[in-house]
PDB file of all heavy atoms in Angstrom:
ATOM      1  N   GLY A   1       5.747   7.312   3.919  1.00 98.00           N
ATOM      2  CA  GLY A   1       6.076   7.560   2.552  1.00 98.00           C
ATOM      3  C   GLY A   1       6.018   6.256   1.664  1.00 98.00           C
ATOM      4  O   GLY A   1       5.735   5.181   2.158  1.00 98.00           O
ATOM      5  N   GLY A   2       6.554   6.439   0.464  1.00 98.00           N
ATOM      6  CA  GLY A   2       6.568   5.387  -0.526  1.00 98.00           C
ATOM      7  C   GLY A   2       6.629   5.880  -1.883  1.00 98.00           C
ATOM      8  O   GLY A   2       6.462   7.105  -2.134  1.00 98.00           O
ATOM      9  N   GLY A   3       6.959   5.081  -2.848  1.00 98.00           N
ATOM     10  CA  GLY A   3       7.082   5.478  -4.236  1.00 98.00           C
ATOM     11  C   GLY A   3       5.727   5.889  -4.873  1.00 98.00           C
ATOM     12  O   GLY A   3       4.685   5.300  -4.593  1.00 98.00           O
ATOM     13  N   ARG A   4       5.763   6.887  -5.679  1.00 98.00           N
ATOM     14  CA  ARG A   4       4.529   7.500  -6.286  1.00 98.00           C
ATOM     15  C   ARG A   4       3.782   6.487  -7.195  1.00 98.00           C
ATOM     16  O   ARG A   4       2.551   6.693  -7.397  1.00 98.00           O
ATOM     17  CB  ARG A   4       4.856   8.752  -7.169  1.00 98.00           C
ATOM     18  CG  ARG A   4       5.840   8.526  -8.194  1.00 98.00           C
ATOM     19  CD  ARG A   4       6.136   9.739  -9.071  1.00 98.00           C
ATOM     20  NE  ARG A   4       5.107   9.989  -9.980  1.00 98.00           N
ATOM     21  CZ  ARG A   4       5.136  10.999 -10.879  1.00 98.00           C
ATOM     22  NH1 ARG A   4       6.194  11.835 -10.973  1.00 98.00           N
ATOM     23  NH2 ARG A   4       4.141  11.177 -11.721  1.00 98.00           N
ATOM     24  N   MET A   5       4.465   5.496  -7.772  1.00 96.00           N
ATOM     25  CA  MET A   5       3.865   4.559  -8.598  1.00 96.00           C
ATOM     26  C   MET A   5       3.457   3.272  -7.832  1.00 96.00           C
ATOM     27  O   MET A   5       3.066   2.264  -8.385  1.00 96.00           O
ATOM     28  CB  MET A   5       4.759   4.250  -9.808  1.00 96.00           C
ATOM     29  CG  MET A   5       4.982   5.385 -10.741  1.00 96.00           C
ATOM     30  SD  MET A   5       3.377   6.108 -11.386  1.00 96.00           S
ATOM     31  CE  MET A   5       2.871   4.972 -12.486  1.00 96.00           C
ATOM     32  N   LYS A   6       3.708   3.327  -6.484  1.00 98.00           N
ATOM     33  CA  LYS A   6       3.443   2.178  -5.683  1.00 98.00           C
ATOM     34  C   LYS A   6       2.191   2.509  -4.741  1.00 98.00           C
ATOM     35  O   LYS A   6       1.363   1.588  -4.550  1.00 98.00           O
ATOM     36  CB  LYS A   6       4.661   1.906  -4.869  1.00 98.00           C
ATOM     37  CG  LYS A   6       4.583   0.504  -4.204  1.00 98.00           C
ATOM     38  CD  LYS A   6       5.003  -0.508  -5.282  1.00 98.00           C
ATOM     39  CE  LYS A   6       5.169  -1.875  -4.614  1.00 98.00           C
ATOM     40  NZ  LYS A   6       5.532  -2.962  -5.676  1.00 98.00           N
ATOM     41  N   ILE A   7       2.077   3.759  -4.331  1.00 98.00           N
ATOM     42  CA  ILE A   7       0.991   4.083  -3.430  1.00 98.00           C
ATOM     43  C   ILE A   7       0.372   5.370  -3.768  1.00 98.00           C
ATOM     44  O   ILE A   7       1.015   6.298  -4.329  1.00 98.00           O
ATOM     45  CB  ILE A   7       1.445   4.049  -1.922  1.00 98.00           C
ATOM     46  CG1 ILE A   7       2.526   5.221  -1.713  1.00 98.00           C
ATOM     47  CG2 ILE A   7       2.036   2.803  -1.575  1.00 98.00           C
ATOM     48  CD1 ILE A   7       2.828   5.394  -0.228  1.00 98.00           C
ATOM     49  N   THR A   8      -0.901   5.585  -3.446  1.00 98.00           N
ATOM     50  CA  THR A   8      -1.592   6.874  -3.361  1.00 98.00           C
ATOM     51  C   THR A   8      -1.931   7.496  -4.638  1.00 98.00           C
ATOM     52  O   THR A   8      -3.076   7.936  -4.937  1.00 98.00           O
ATOM     53  CB  THR A   8      -0.853   7.821  -2.467  1.00 98.00           C
ATOM     54  OG1 THR A   8      -0.490   7.271  -1.197  1.00 98.00           O
ATOM     55  CG2 THR A   8      -1.703   9.079  -2.170  1.00 98.00           C
ATOM     56  N   MET A   9      -1.014   7.593  -5.548  1.00 97.00           N
ATOM     57  CA  MET A   9      -1.102   8.573  -6.729  1.00 97.00           C
ATOM     58  C   MET A   9      -1.591   7.788  -7.945  1.00 97.00           C
ATOM     59  O   MET A   9      -1.144   8.044  -9.087  1.00 97.00           O
ATOM     60  CB  MET A   9       0.185   9.251  -7.002  1.00 97.00           C
ATOM     61  CG  MET A   9       0.384  10.488  -6.160  1.00 97.00           C
ATOM     62  SD  MET A   9       1.868  11.394  -6.337  1.00 97.00           S
ATOM     63  CE  MET A   9       1.830  11.850  -8.091  1.00 97.00           C
ATOM     64  N   ASP A  10      -2.611   6.873  -7.915  1.00 95.00           N
ATOM     65  CA  ASP A  10      -3.194   6.310  -9.043  1.00 95.00           C
ATOM     66  C   ASP A  10      -4.035   7.387  -9.731  1.00 95.00           C
ATOM     67  O   ASP A  10      -4.340   8.381  -9.132  1.00 95.00           O
ATOM     68  CB  ASP A  10      -4.110   5.141  -8.607  1.00 95.00           C
ATOM     69  CG  ASP A  10      -4.716   4.534  -9.812  1.00 95.00           C
ATOM     70  OD1 ASP A  10      -4.054   4.206 -10.812  1.00 95.00           O
ATOM     71  OD2 ASP A  10      -6.018   4.261  -9.745  1.00 95.00           O
ATOM     72  N   ARG A  11      -4.350   7.123 -10.980  1.00 86.00           N
ATOM     73  CA  ARG A  11      -5.219   8.060 -11.681  1.00 86.00           C
ATOM     74  C   ARG A  11      -6.210   7.304 -12.646  1.00 86.00           C
ATOM     75  O   ARG A  11      -5.937   6.151 -13.042  1.00 86.00           O
ATOM     76  CB  ARG A  11      -4.486   9.067 -12.482  1.00 86.00           C
ATOM     77  CG  ARG A  11      -3.654   8.387 -13.697  1.00 86.00           C
ATOM     78  CD  ARG A  11      -2.963   9.601 -14.397  1.00 86.00           C
ATOM     79  NE  ARG A  11      -2.025   9.108 -15.445  1.00 86.00           N
ATOM     80  CZ  ARG A  11      -1.253   9.866 -16.165  1.00 86.00           C
ATOM     81  NH1 ARG A  11      -1.105  11.106 -15.831  1.00 86.00           N
ATOM     82  NH2 ARG A  11      -0.516   9.348 -17.060  1.00 86.00           N
ATOM     83  N   TYR A  12      -7.316   7.938 -12.937  1.00 75.00           N
ATOM     84  CA  TYR A  12      -8.320   7.400 -13.828  1.00 75.00           C
ATOM     85  C   TYR A  12      -8.828   6.061 -13.509  1.00 75.00           C
ATOM     86  O   TYR A  12      -9.205   5.174 -14.291  1.00 75.00           O
ATOM     87  CB  TYR A  12      -7.824   7.322 -15.317  1.00 75.00           C
ATOM     88  CG  TYR A  12      -7.159   8.594 -15.850  1.00 75.00           C
ATOM     89  CD1 TYR A  12      -6.022   8.596 -16.616  1.00 75.00           C
ATOM     90  CD2 TYR A  12      -7.662   9.896 -15.348  1.00 75.00           C
ATOM     91  CE1 TYR A  12      -5.441   9.878 -17.048  1.00 75.00           C
ATOM     92  CE2 TYR A  12      -7.074  11.064 -15.851  1.00 75.00           C
ATOM     93  CZ  TYR A  12      -6.006  11.045 -16.686  1.00 75.00           C
ATOM     94  OH  TYR A  12      -5.438  12.209 -17.074  1.00 75.00           O
ATOM     95  N   ASN A  13      -8.869   5.740 -12.181  1.00 86.00           N
ATOM     96  CA  ASN A  13      -9.420   4.506 -11.594  1.00 86.00           C
ATOM     97  C   ASN A  13      -8.758   3.290 -12.145  1.00 86.00           C
ATOM     98  O   ASN A  13      -9.367   2.253 -12.284  1.00 86.00           O
ATOM     99  CB  ASN A  13     -10.969   4.499 -11.906  1.00 86.00           C
ATOM    100  CG  ASN A  13     -11.705   5.642 -11.445  1.00 86.00           C
ATOM    101  OD1 ASN A  13     -11.606   5.993 -10.225  1.00 86.00           O
ATOM    102  ND2 ASN A  13     -12.375   6.311 -12.313  1.00 86.00           N
ATOM    103  N   ALA A  14      -7.459   3.446 -12.502  1.00 88.00           N
ATOM    104  CA  ALA A  14      -6.738   2.349 -13.111  1.00 88.00           C
ATOM    105  C   ALA A  14      -6.305   1.318 -12.078  1.00 88.00           C
ATOM    106  O   ALA A  14      -6.286   0.107 -12.407  1.00 88.00           O
ATOM    107  CB  ALA A  14      -5.448   2.898 -13.801  1.00 88.00           C
ATOM    108  N   ASN A  15      -5.910   1.650 -10.886  1.00 94.00           N
ATOM    109  CA  ASN A  15      -5.401   0.768  -9.827  1.00 94.00           C
ATOM    110  C   ASN A  15      -5.756   1.284  -8.442  1.00 94.00           C
ATOM    111  O   ASN A  15      -4.839   1.791  -7.780  1.00 94.00           O
ATOM    112  CB  ASN A  15      -3.965   0.527 -10.144  1.00 94.00           C
ATOM    113  CG  ASN A  15      -3.448  -0.579  -9.250  1.00 94.00           C
ATOM    114  OD1 ASN A  15      -4.104  -1.235  -8.491  1.00 94.00           O
ATOM    115  ND2 ASN A  15      -2.106  -0.796  -9.279  1.00 94.00           N
ATOM    116  N   TRP A  16      -6.923   1.008  -8.019  1.00 96.00           N
ATOM    117  CA  TRP A  16      -7.305   1.497  -6.649  1.00 96.00           C
ATOM    118  C   TRP A  16      -6.512   0.857  -5.521  1.00 96.00           C
ATOM    119  O   TRP A  16      -6.442   1.351  -4.462  1.00 96.00           O
ATOM    120  CB  TRP A  16      -8.792   1.219  -6.487  1.00 96.00           C
ATOM    121  CG  TRP A  16      -9.689   2.363  -7.016  1.00 96.00           C
ATOM    122  CD1 TRP A  16     -10.403   2.409  -8.202  1.00 96.00           C
ATOM    123  CD2 TRP A  16      -9.992   3.586  -6.390  1.00 96.00           C
ATOM    124  NE1 TRP A  16     -10.994   3.630  -8.326  1.00 96.00           N
ATOM    125  CE2 TRP A  16     -10.771   4.370  -7.218  1.00 96.00           C
ATOM    126  CE3 TRP A  16      -9.555   4.171  -5.150  1.00 96.00           C
ATOM    127  CZ2 TRP A  16     -11.252   5.650  -6.962  1.00 96.00           C
ATOM    128  CZ3 TRP A  16     -10.043   5.421  -4.815  1.00 96.00           C
ATOM    129  CH2 TRP A  16     -10.836   6.170  -5.745  1.00 96.00           C
ATOM    130  N   LYS A  17      -5.823  -0.334  -5.867  1.00 97.00           N
ATOM    131  CA  LYS A  17      -5.001  -0.946  -4.833  1.00 97.00           C
ATOM    132  C   LYS A  17      -3.881   0.011  -4.377  1.00 97.00           C
ATOM    133  O   LYS A  17      -3.496   0.000  -3.241  1.00 97.00           O
ATOM    134  CB  LYS A  17      -4.436  -2.318  -5.375  1.00 97.00           C
ATOM    135  CG  LYS A  17      -5.448  -3.327  -5.429  1.00 97.00           C
ATOM    136  CD  LYS A  17      -5.965  -3.869  -4.085  1.00 97.00           C
ATOM    137  CE  LYS A  17      -6.872  -4.996  -4.220  1.00 97.00           C
ATOM    138  NZ  LYS A  17      -7.366  -5.432  -2.922  1.00 97.00           N
ATOM    139  N   MET A  18      -3.434   0.858  -5.389  1.00 98.00           N
ATOM    140  CA  MET A  18      -2.363   1.818  -4.997  1.00 98.00           C
ATOM    141  C   MET A  18      -2.923   2.832  -3.932  1.00 98.00           C
ATOM    142  O   MET A  18      -2.298   3.110  -2.993  1.00 98.00           O
ATOM    143  CB  MET A  18      -1.969   2.673  -6.260  1.00 98.00           C
ATOM    144  CG  MET A  18      -0.988   1.894  -7.185  1.00 98.00           C
ATOM    145  SD  MET A  18      -0.744   2.887  -8.583  1.00 98.00           S
ATOM    146  CE  MET A  18      -0.002   4.372  -7.899  1.00 98.00           C
ATOM    147  N   VAL A  19      -4.118   3.229  -4.107  1.00 98.00           N
ATOM    148  CA  VAL A  19      -4.756   4.215  -3.146  1.00 98.00           C
ATOM    149  C   VAL A  19      -5.006   3.533  -1.818  1.00 98.00           C
ATOM    150  O   VAL A  19      -4.774   4.199  -0.808  1.00 98.00           O
ATOM    151  CB  VAL A  19      -5.975   4.840  -3.824  1.00 98.00           C
ATOM    152  CG1 VAL A  19      -6.527   5.987  -2.946  1.00 98.00           C
ATOM    153  CG2 VAL A  19      -5.772   5.293  -5.235  1.00 98.00           C
ATOM    154  N   GLU A  20      -5.536   2.341  -1.872  1.00 98.00           N
ATOM    155  CA  GLU A  20      -5.669   1.620  -0.694  1.00 98.00           C
ATOM    156  C   GLU A  20      -4.440   1.418   0.142  1.00 98.00           C
ATOM    157  O   GLU A  20      -4.400   1.569   1.332  1.00 98.00           O
ATOM    158  CB  GLU A  20      -6.337   0.337  -0.927  1.00 98.00           C
ATOM    159  CG  GLU A  20      -6.629  -0.557   0.267  1.00 98.00           C
ATOM    160  CD  GLU A  20      -7.377  -1.875  -0.045  1.00 98.00           C
ATOM    161  OE1 GLU A  20      -7.308  -2.297  -1.200  1.00 98.00           O
ATOM    162  OE2 GLU A  20      -7.800  -2.587   0.917  1.00 98.00           O
ATOM    163  N   LEU A  21      -3.377   1.102  -0.560  1.00 98.00           N
ATOM    164  CA  LEU A  21      -2.109   0.922   0.161  1.00 98.00           C
ATOM    165  C   LEU A  21      -1.650   2.305   0.686  1.00 98.00           C
ATOM    166  O   LEU A  21      -1.124   2.321   1.818  1.00 98.00           O
ATOM    167  CB  LEU A  21      -1.016   0.390  -0.834  1.00 98.00           C
ATOM    168  CG  LEU A  21       0.272  -0.158  -0.279  1.00 98.00           C
ATOM    169  CD1 LEU A  21       0.089  -1.192   0.786  1.00 98.00           C
ATOM    170  CD2 LEU A  21       1.132  -0.703  -1.422  1.00 98.00           C
ATOM    171  N   GLY A  22      -1.874   3.340   0.004  1.00 98.00           N
ATOM    172  CA  GLY A  22      -1.471   4.674   0.591  1.00 98.00           C
ATOM    173  C   GLY A  22      -2.335   5.006   1.760  1.00 98.00           C
ATOM    174  O   GLY A  22      -1.840   5.502   2.728  1.00 98.00           O
ATOM    175  N   TRP A  23      -3.617   4.631   1.724  1.00 98.00           N
ATOM    176  CA  TRP A  23      -4.484   4.963   2.860  1.00 98.00           C
ATOM    177  C   TRP A  23      -4.050   4.147   4.122  1.00 98.00           C
ATOM    178  O   TRP A  23      -3.985   4.774   5.169  1.00 98.00           O
ATOM    179  CB  TRP A  23      -5.950   4.550   2.482  1.00 98.00           C
ATOM    180  CG  TRP A  23      -6.947   4.735   3.609  1.00 98.00           C
ATOM    181  CD1 TRP A  23      -7.288   3.947   4.641  1.00 98.00           C
ATOM    182  CD2 TRP A  23      -7.713   5.965   3.740  1.00 98.00           C
ATOM    183  NE1 TRP A  23      -8.241   4.499   5.365  1.00 98.00           N
ATOM    184  CE2 TRP A  23      -8.514   5.808   4.894  1.00 98.00           C
ATOM    185  CE3 TRP A  23      -7.852   7.162   3.066  1.00 98.00           C
ATOM    186  CZ2 TRP A  23      -9.388   6.754   5.316  1.00 98.00           C
ATOM    187  CZ3 TRP A  23      -8.669   8.149   3.495  1.00 98.00           C
ATOM    188  CH2 TRP A  23      -9.465   7.945   4.639  1.00 98.00           C
ATOM    189  N   LYS A  24      -3.669   2.918   3.864  1.00 98.00           N
ATOM    190  CA  LYS A  24      -3.189   2.121   5.010  1.00 98.00           C
ATOM    191  C   LYS A  24      -1.900   2.751   5.588  1.00 98.00           C
ATOM    192  O   LYS A  24      -1.632   2.720   6.814  1.00 98.00           O
ATOM    193  CB  LYS A  24      -2.979   0.728   4.595  1.00 98.00           C
ATOM    194  CG  LYS A  24      -4.188  -0.023   4.317  1.00 98.00           C
ATOM    195  CD  LYS A  24      -3.944  -1.480   3.848  1.00 98.00           C
ATOM    196  CE  LYS A  24      -5.226  -2.297   3.708  1.00 98.00           C
ATOM    197  NZ  LYS A  24      -4.992  -3.627   3.116  1.00 98.00           N
ATOM    198  N   THR A  25      -1.028   3.320   4.693  1.00 98.00           N
ATOM    199  CA  THR A  25       0.153   3.803   5.127  1.00 98.00           C
ATOM    200  C   THR A  25       0.109   5.122   5.854  1.00 98.00           C
ATOM    201  O   THR A  25       0.560   5.286   6.989  1.00 98.00           O
ATOM    202  CB  THR A  25       1.165   4.002   3.870  1.00 98.00           C
ATOM    203  OG1 THR A  25       1.300   2.755   3.116  1.00 98.00           O
ATOM    204  CG2 THR A  25       2.503   4.483   4.252  1.00 98.00           C
ATOM    205  N   HIS A  26      -0.543   6.076   5.210  1.00 98.00           N
ATOM    206  CA  HIS A  26      -0.703   7.490   5.714  1.00 98.00           C
ATOM    207  C   HIS A  26      -1.720   7.585   6.937  1.00 98.00           C
ATOM    208  O   HIS A  26      -1.385   8.221   7.928  1.00 98.00           O
ATOM    209  CB  HIS A  26      -1.140   8.446   4.600  1.00 98.00           C
ATOM    210  CG  HIS A  26      -0.349   8.291   3.421  1.00 98.00           C
ATOM    211  ND1 HIS A  26       1.010   8.191   3.390  1.00 98.00           N
ATOM    212  CD2 HIS A  26      -0.709   8.304   2.082  1.00 98.00           C
ATOM    213  CE1 HIS A  26       1.498   8.159   2.091  1.00 98.00           C
ATOM    214  NE2 HIS A  26       0.367   8.235   1.342  1.00 98.00           N
ATOM    215  N   VAL A  27      -2.845   7.005   6.715  1.00 98.00           N
ATOM    216  CA  VAL A  27      -3.975   7.157   7.650  1.00 98.00           C
ATOM    217  C   VAL A  27      -3.895   6.144   8.824  1.00 98.00           C
ATOM    218  O   VAL A  27      -3.909   6.543   9.965  1.00 98.00           O
ATOM    219  CB  VAL A  27      -5.288   6.972   6.944  1.00 98.00           C
ATOM    220  CG1 VAL A  27      -6.435   7.133   7.918  1.00 98.00           C
ATOM    221  CG2 VAL A  27      -5.435   8.054   5.773  1.00 98.00           C
ATOM    222  N   LEU A  28      -3.725   4.885   8.419  1.00 98.00           N
ATOM    223  CA  LEU A  28      -3.725   3.853   9.522  1.00 98.00           C
ATOM    224  C   LEU A  28      -2.341   3.586  10.185  1.00 98.00           C
ATOM    225  O   LEU A  28      -2.252   2.990  11.242  1.00 98.00           O
ATOM    226  CB  LEU A  28      -4.311   2.562   8.935  1.00 98.00           C
ATOM    227  CG  LEU A  28      -5.708   2.666   8.243  1.00 98.00           C
ATOM    228  CD1 LEU A  28      -6.148   1.278   7.682  1.00 98.00           C
ATOM    229  CD2 LEU A  28      -6.781   3.235   9.160  1.00 98.00           C
ATOM    230  N   GLY A  29      -1.338   3.996   9.431  1.00 98.00           N
ATOM    231  CA  GLY A  29      -0.013   3.681   9.901  1.00 98.00           C
ATOM    232  C   GLY A  29       0.333   2.290   9.837  1.00 98.00           C
ATOM    233  O   GLY A  29       1.228   1.769  10.641  1.00 98.00           O
TER     234      GLY A  29
END
């Protein structure tokens, strides 16, 4: 898990680093 404005839930290609951090958290552990 993690905060919605920290990981995963970026929008409109504003901050792909959020999505990358979410991927590392959820997918890679």
